[in-house]
Amino acid sequence: MQIISMARETMSLLTASEPLDFDKRTISRQPSVGDIEMEGFLRGFNLNYEDTVRQRIDDDRGKSHELGQSTVKCMRGILQCWIRQANRVELFKQHQSPQHALHSKFHLDTGDTIYEDADYSHLQIDVVSLYLIFLVQMTSSGLQIIYTQDEVNFIQNLVYYVERAYRTPDYGMWERGSKYNDGTAEIHASSIGMAKAALEAINGYNLFGDKGASWSVIFVDIDAHNRNRSIFETLLPRESSSKEKIVKKLKGEYGFKRFLRDGYKSVLEDPSSRFYSEGKTIDFENIECEWPIFYLFMVVDGVFKGLPEQVEEFCQLARQRLVRDANGDPIVPMYFFVPKDNIELERQEPGSQFRHVSPEGSASNLFLWGQSMYVIAQLLTSGLVHVNEIDLVRRYLPSYNRPRRGGRYSAFQGIASDLVVQVVLIAESQRLQAMMATYGIQTQTPHEVEPVQIWPPSQLVKVYEYLGVNKKLGLKGRPSRPVGALGTSKVYRVCGQTVLCYPLIFEVSDFYLSHDMALLIDDIKTELHFVGKYWRVSGRPTMILLIREEHMRDRKFSQMLDLFAELKKGHCDGLKVRIGRLQNLLSSSCIEHLDFMNLVDPEELDIKPFRQVVHEYSGYQSLTDVPKTIIFNEPCKDYKEFCNKPTWEILEAYKYIDFWYYALKLACILVSGKQRFFLCRLRQVQPHDIVQAVLQQETALYCGKLIVTNPELFEGILKIRMGWILHAIVLYKENATNDSLDVPLEACSPSEVRRLLEAVLSVNLEADPKTKLTIYQKRQIEGCLCRVPSNFYARVWHVLRKTPGGIIVAGKTLPQEPTLKHMTLSVPVYSSVFELLDVVSTILQRNPELAFKGSLDIDKTVASAFKMFQKCLMSDFGLYFIFDIPAQNKLEDNKGQPHELYPFFNASTTTTTGYLARAVC
């Protein structure tokens, strides 16, 4: 601990970025660079933990106080460095660009920046998130880190900084981004997980501790937290799309590899080059450095999880890799590397060669991060420190077991086993309320819920824009982002008023989707289930269902009445709900006190609450008295006339979708898949025209909704291509429905398009008596969706390793190199290719001695399998074309002629797999 304390810098108390030379008491290679990295925070906590140990051993309160204040100075030194870059925080909130990221290396003496954005990868979300977590932990221990309101505002903006980690590719904890070290950033599970933990820890926390004021509380967007949680769970157990985090793959005799093909500190790495050349990472395969610090991580993990066998196993492994200084004190090496002379032998037989200890992590060059972890592990295993003294806010416990924080602010908790979603029905007018009552549906008007106010969600955004505003630092507060379904399910106290917001789906819009009653009903069910599934804060969610008179005039309003009748029974498709008067539901609701608004003049807000519609005529007695909306058949127009029109005419002719609602649904797509991307163009499938552009936007919205409530529909789909999805819908509509000759897809109602989309995503190759689709048609649809079997890409990679000439598909070659160097697949494929490659991979795995001499031609192999299939049919039936093929189902070649392969593609998976296996052999 004395050695670690020597790393402190007198002025800012940042941690030196390089190992120390204790003979000269200077930094060995970069004497002026301070690194805001994990070692800084861990060192600070080590000092805090030694406070506990010293009190128990020698009761030296003076030394304990000094160590505590050293920790405060470290945290404040980091804070002051970042406050100088407040302009970057404001820019990053808007754009999430690496060029606006907070720096993570500063000058030790002055706190000035060291590296420009082009010289170092500063965008590391985990560093900022870790700072927020330690801020909460240290403040909970009684230390005072934050002094002024300006600093509180800055911390609130740091929360905005990390809230969008789920959609911000960064360079991660290893500072290199992609494993290929080519300067590209990527989404990292460690960064997102750290952001998620930080948001949970700091939500509703008072930065002044027990002496705090109402304006020193930090608020978190629970919808942003939910998106981080969602993508974090889908990324695991990988670190990113290019990095692995699986113990059995990374564990070695000297430590853990950071990730496969990691060249950092390898003897083959060129230290003078910042980035690698293309395909360079394959040179590091099987010779990656092994880091003993991961043994210490596993020790700490075992202590926290109560796994004594894991603790003992990794304690033994760690002891074997420690080195000793002249005094016999243990020192943790930074890494172990394969010497140059043994590289080829290690590649041939991984784990067979002796590794050398790194120069870093020795008596003269201390590896601070590793040494800090060693101290923590020793304190825990020796019983000098309890896990609760390390984790004061109990982050290691499940959220439902953490101690409840006192106060008036919402806090995250676990999933409630008996969660009930509270529903309040608000009628736009008394006339509508009276009419609803005739059907047994009790509603309230805005006047009846007073003094509670009903706000549109856009007005709540106005209020949140005041959170974190600081003119001295140039900070504008919360960006104008929409409030999601979770946020609108809270009850808010704003400037002495009680406020409840209705969901975004009830916002008035001229866009055509808002006039489809069946779609609105489906949206209501989706919102209810989303809130019920992802609610993680104390108190019950309370949702407003806003009923307008324009809904009542819709011919499908009776379906909404059926929904309300179902909700009255206390359930909605298995979800528990409770309909009641708002005044009766407030006591059990989640109430958020926006006390920061006490410093704002209410006249500045210009809030426009939802107003009750007043009529002189009392109203209708039943639905039969209500004038219906006029139904008319609009003739199909030829929209090609707009191809050469100026932009303003197109904008006049078509109304675009509400940006906020569209953005929220696209965010749902982005956070729901491990490597899922949203692609909205493919001119070969859907030519560029106005209608197709609108249909693609519409389909993207539905995908965003379905991917939240029914994620299993998108299993096996790596990329969502809207053009191909629309093509699949057209195929399904032509072959599986009875309305193929009635209306084209662009003339279908939005709810019908959504129904077709869900049906298409539900198609599988197994027999389904509910559909008229043949196996061939199902294969077509699956090919359009580009849905692949599990482990498909790993199997392709395995086949490529045994195929020097590459894989040929439709005349295009996927070469063995450089594909294997990058382990990526970019060649377009169709459904039968999935089955064939799956068969080939299985054969090669069962027979490792087999390999292809040249290339694997998919088309020729399929043709060979078909010839075998044809011979069997001819021997059994005389002719292979005895199948009765409907005209609209025939497979056609590029000249429009019936294709002879149709019977083969229409056969069952078991049949085709058998013939494909014979063709390969």
Side-chain angles (χ1 to χ4, degrees):
M1 185 62 71
Q2 181 180 2
I3 298 177
I4 295 177
S5 301
M6 293 167 61
R8 293 176 297 173
E9 200 283 325
T10 307
M11 298 296 293
S12 64
L13 220 72
L14 296 180
T15 302
S17 64
E18 294 293 336
L20 292 175
D21 182 342
F22 294 107
D23 294 331
K24 300 179 181 179
R25 301 293 173 91
T26 60
I27 307 301
S28 58
R29 282 186 294 276
Q30 292 178 294
S32 60
V33 178
D35 194 353
I36 303 179
E37 271 289 2
M38 292 185 182
E39 60 262 46
F41 300 124
L42 290 173
R43 182 200 47 76
F45 247 41
N46 279 334
L47 300 177
N48 204 20
Y49 298 154
E50 191 175 356
D51 184 1
T52 303
V53 177
R54 284 184 179 275
Q55 288 183 14
R56 292 181 178 178
I57 296 177
D58 58 11
D59 196 26
D60 187 347
R61 295 186 180 276
K63 186 62 176 178
S64 298
H65 176 75
E66 180 191 1
L67 292 172
Q69 294 307 304
S70 296
T71 304
V72 173
K73 191 174 182 181
C74 173
M75 294 293 288
R76 289 195 57 80
I78 296 171
L79 180 63
Q80 294 305 316
C81 289
W82 278 344
I83 285 181
R84 295 182 183 183
Q85 298 188 329
N87 62 315
R88 284 178 165 266
V89 175
E90 187 60 35
L91 292 171
F92 190 86
K93 284 157 47 180
Q94 304 297 332
H95 306 293
Q96 292 86 53
S97 172
Q99 63 183 357
H100 302 142
L102 286 172
H103 283 208
S104 54
K105 289 183 183 292
F106 294 90
H107 195 282
L108 279 171
D109 299 321
T110 64
D112 294 336
T113 59
I114 298 293
Y115 301 118
E116 297 298 328
D117 296 309
D119 300 327
Y120 181 76
S121 303
H122 289 287
L123 179 51
Q124 299 166 34
I125 298 293
D126 59 310
V127 172
V128 181
S129 301
L130 196 62
Y131 182 86
L132 296 177
I133 294 176
F134 279 125
L135 179 62
V136 174
Q137 297 274 20
M138 293 180 182
T139 305
S140 299
S141 72
L143 297 176
Q144 189 71 37
I145 309 295
I146 303 300
Y147 292 168
T148 66
Q149 183 177 357
D150 294 335
E151 295 173 357
V152 171
N153 292 335
F154 183 78
I155 296 298
Q156 179 65 62
N157 279 269
L158 288 186
V159 171
Y160 302 146
Y161 186 96
V162 303
E163 272 184 347
R164 287 196 163 186
Y166 65 91
R167 56 179 293 175
T168 307
D170 71 342
Y171 296 98
M173 62 184 299
W174 305 127
E175 308 175 10
R176 290 192 170 191
S178 167
K179 71 183 296 181
Y180 308 116
N181 191 25
D182 54 3
T184 59
E186 61 181 357
I187 299 291
H188 288 89
S190 56
S191 295
I192 298 172
M194 200 66 72
K196 170 184 174 291
L199 296 177
E200 291 175 358
I202 206 167
N203 181 46
Y205 192 78
N206 199 310
L207 296 182
F208 288 171
D210 296 336
K211 303 176 182 179
S214 61
W215 46 264
S216 57
V217 175
I218 300 299
F219 294 86
V220 169
D221 180 357
I222 61 173
D223 288 279
H225 166 268
N226 179 67
R227 297 184 193 109
N228 280 291
R229 179 204 55 77
S230 177
I231 196 169
F232 178 62
E233 292 176 355
T234 55
L235 274 172
L236 293 177
R238 298 185 66 88
E239 159 69 348
S240 66
S241 60
S242 69
K243 301 189 189 77
E244 308 80 3
K245 285 296 179 189
I246 304 173
V247 171
K248 64 180 181 180
K249 288 187 177 182
L250 303 178
K251 181 182 175 184
E253 294 295 327
Y254 294 83
F256 281 72
K257 300 172 183 177
R258 302 194 308 174
F259 48 86
L260 299 182
R261 296 187 178 181
D262 175 27
Y264 182 61
K265 294 297 183 177
S266 167
V267 294
L268 297 184
E269 184 183 54
D270 181 7
S272 64
S273 178
R274 182 182 174 191
F275 300 121
Y276 295 159
S277 58
E278 184 177 355
K280 177 66 175 177
T281 54
I282 198 173
D283 295 341
F284 310 119
E285 189 170 18
N286 296 331
I287 63 167
E288 304 92 337
C289 294
E290 295 182 358
W291 299 58
I293 188 176
F294 288 101
Y295 288 158
L296 302 172
F297 287 150
M298 297 300 289
V299 171
V300 174
D301 177 71
V303 173
F304 273 83
K305 291 181 178 178
L307 303 174
E309 294 181 357
Q310 176 179 315
V311 173
E312 181 61 26
E313 174 189 357
F314 287 99
C315 277
Q316 291 289 346
L317 291 172
R319 290 192 194 103
Q320 298 174 12
R321 301 308 167 199
L322 295 177
V323 296
R324 303 283 175 174
D325 63 8
N327 299 321
D329 294 327
I331 296 178
V332 180
M334 186 175 185
Y335 57 89
F336 288 86
F337 66 94
V338 179
K340 193 170 185 179
D341 295 339
N342 298 346
I343 285 179
E344 291 303 324
L345 295 175
E346 180 70 13
R347 283 173 175 168
Q348 295 172 10
E349 188 178 350
S352 63
Q353 301 302 305
F354 177 78
R355 290 172 178 260
H356 291 188
V357 66
S358 63
E360 300 91 348
S362 60
S364 59
N365 291 309
L366 194 67
F367 177 42
L368 293 179
W369 187 5
Q371 206 66 26
S372 299
M373 286 304 304
Y374 178 75
V375 172
I376 293 176
Q378 288 293 99
L379 292 175
L380 285 170
T381 55
S382 61
L384 292 173
V385 170
H386 191 268
V387 291
N388 290 343
E389 294 171 320
I390 289 183
D391 186 1
L392 298 174
V393 296
R394 310 298 193 269
R395 286 290 317 154
Y396 73 95
L397 292 174
S399 52
Y400 53 82
N401 281 342
R402 294 171 193 158
R404 298 295 177 89
R405 186 185 301 155
R408 44 197 270 136
Y409 306 100
S410 65
F412 287 102
Q413 64 178 22
I415 304 174
S417 58
D418 58 345
L419 180 67
V420 177
V421 179
Q422 301 180 154
V423 177
V424 180
L425 300 181
I426 300 294
E428 186 179 40
S429 64
Q430 285 186 333
R431 183 169 70 179
L432 177 58
Q433 182 188 36
M435 196 278 293
M436 296 293 292
T438 62
Y439 291 91
I441 307 298
Q442 301 300 319
T443 62
Q444 292 179 276
T445 63
H447 288 170
E448 290 178 348
V449 300
E450 291 179 350
V452 180
Q453 292 189 9
I454 308 298
W455 283 9
S458 58
Q459 304 305 300
L460 186 59
V461 172
K462 290 183 180 179
V463 170
Y464 270 120
E465 288 177 352
Y466 288 88
L467 178 59
V469 172
N470 191 289
K471 295 182 178 178
K472 287 190 290 185
L473 299 178
L475 300 172
K476 298 181 180 179
R478 184 181 186 270
S480 296
R481 299 169 185 165
V483 180
L486 298 176
T488 55
S489 298
K490 290 182 179 181
V491 177
Y492 294 90
R493 292 283 297 169
V494 185
C495 299
Q497 299 177 336
T498 303
V499 174
L500 192 59
C501 293
Y502 56 78
L504 202 59
I505 59 175
F506 292 106
E507 283 277 49
V508 176
S509 173
D510 292 331
F511 192 57
Y512 67 96
L513 293 182
S514 63
H515 300 289
D516 189 324
M517 179 58 65
L519 190 64
L520 177 61
I521 294 171
D522 195 60
D523 285 345
I524 292 174
K525 292 182 179 180
T526 300
E527 294 283 286
L528 286 170
H529 280 273
F530 175 81
V531 172
K533 185 176 181 180
Y534 297 115
W535 187 257
R536 297 290 189 277
V537 292
S538 55
R540 289 178 175 177
T542 304
M543 284 188 63
I544 282 185
L545 301 186
L546 187 60
I547 312 171
R548 301 180 185 272
E549 291 193 355
E550 63 185 48
H551 299 155
M552 178 180 59
R553 299 188 183 96
D554 195 284
R555 290 184 174 273
K556 295 183 180 180
F557 186 63
S558 58
Q559 297 179 17
M560 182 169 282
L561 291 178
D562 294 338
L563 172 62
F564 294 154
E566 182 182 3
L567 296 179
K568 280 185 62 179
K569 297 177 182 178
H571 62 84
C572 176
D573 297 338
L575 176 70
K576 293 181 181 180
V577 297
R578 179 190 176 191
I579 287 187
R581 296 178 62 83
L582 178 57
Q583 289 82 351
N584 298 334
L585 301 178
L586 285 177
S587 60
S588 57
S589 299
C590 173
I591 301 179
E592 192 70 89
H593 295 265
L594 304 185
D595 292 337
F596 64 90
M597 292 301 295
N598 296 339
L599 305 176
V600 179
D601 185 356
E603 296 182 358
E604 296 181 13
L605 296 178
D606 189 26
I607 296 298
K608 300 177 181 178
F610 179 73
R611 301 294 184 184
Q612 181 172 326
V613 178
V614 180
H615 299 285
E616 295 182 0
Y617 175 60
S618 59
Y620 310 110
Q621 300 302 315
S622 68
L623 286 178
T624 57
D625 299 332
V626 181
K628 304 296 181 183
T629 55
I630 299 176
I631 296 180
F632 61 93
N633 293 322
E634 182 180 4
C636 294
K637 294 180 61 178
D638 184 4
Y639 295 97
K640 293 181 180 178
E641 61 179 291
F642 290 97
C643 289
N644 298 318
K645 296 290 184 179
T647 303
W648 68 268
E649 287 192 26
I650 299 175
L651 293 175
E652 184 66 24
Y654 298 95
K655 299 292 184 179
Y656 282 96
I657 196 167
D658 184 358
F659 170 76
W660 276 6
Y661 192 56
Y662 190 69
L664 281 177
K665 297 309 171 186
L666 289 187
C668 292
I669 294 176
L670 292 173
V671 305
S672 296
K674 297 181 181 179
Q675 290 177 295
R676 188 169 291 132
F677 300 90
F678 170 68
L679 304 179
C680 196
R681 62 180 178 84
L682 192 60
R683 297 190 180 184
Q684 295 88 339
V685 180
Q686 297 293 341
H688 179 70
D689 62 62
I690 301 290
V691 175
Q692 294 302 324
V694 173
L695 272 175
Q696 288 189 9
Q697 285 187 344
E698 189 177 322
T699 308
L701 278 177
Y702 305 150
C703 285
K705 298 173 185 177
L706 289 173
I707 213 166
V708 172
T709 56
N710 304 94
E712 68 279 358
L713 295 178
F714 295 86
E715 287 297 325
I717 301 178
L718 184 70
K719 297 183 180 181
I720 298 179
R721 296 175 169 89
M722 291 305 154
W724 279 109
I725 286 181
L726 287 177
H727 189 61
I729 292 175
V730 172
L731 290 174
Y732 182 89
K733 191 172 183 297
E734 291 175 350
N735 298 303
T737 62
N738 297 321
D739 58 355
S740 58
L741 300 178
D742 295 336
V743 290
L745 181 61
E746 55 266 26
C748 292
S749 65
S751 56
E752 178 64 14
V753 174
R754 172 166 174 157
R755 185 193 67 80
L756 289 171
L757 172 63
E758 189 168 2
V760 164
L761 292 171
S762 303
V763 167
N764 57 65
L765 297 181
E766 299 177 1
D768 186 357
K770 298 180 181 180
T771 178
K772 303 176 182 179
L773 294 173
T774 65
I775 294 179
Y776 164 67
Q777 292 164 352
K778 291 180 180 179
R779 282 193 169 110
Q780 275 189 308
I781 291 175
E782 290 287 271
C784 290
L785 298 178
C786 205
R787 193 194 302 273
V788 300
S790 59
N791 297 325
F792 171 75
Y793 295 99
R795 289 176 176 268
V796 171
W797 184 76
H798 180 71
V799 172
L800 273 176
R801 295 190 69 175
K802 298 295 186 74
T803 315
I807 300 174
I808 301 175
V809 183
K812 296 183 179 180
T813 302
L814 177 65
Q816 187 184 62
E817 298 295 345
T819 306
L820 289 184
K821 292 183 179 180
H822 293 281
M823 290 193 296
T824 58
L825 180 67
S826 58
V827 172
V829 290
Y830 47 90
S831 183
S832 62
V833 176
F834 303 152
E835 299 171 29
L836 174 57
L837 291 174
D838 190 53
V839 168
V840 175
S841 177
T842 301
I843 293 174
L844 292 176
Q845 287 178 347
R846 294 178 180 177
N847 304 274
E849 72 280 0
L850 297 180
F852 292 95
K853 294 181 179 179
S855 61
L856 171 62
D857 194 317
I858 298 295
D859 297 327
K860 290 182 179 179
T861 307
V862 172
S864 178
F866 170 70
K867 289 181 180 180
M868 298 180 190
F869 174 76
Q870 180 181 352
K871 290 179 180 179
C872 292
L873 288 179
M874 292 179 67
S875 61
D876 292 342
F877 300 104
L879 289 174
Y880 74 90
F881 50 79
I882 68 166
F883 291 91
D884 184 16
I885 306 172
Q888 68 271 21
N889 294 339
K890 287 184 179 179
L891 177 64
E892 297 180 348
D893 59 18
N894 56 2
K895 296 181 181 180
Q897 300 299 319
H899 201 297
E900 61 178 2
L901 290 178
Y902 175 83
F904 181 64
F905 288 150
N906 197 44
S908 66
T909 305
T910 304
T911 301
T912 56
T913 300
Y915 285 104
L916 289 171
R918 291 170 60 186
V920 172
C921 296

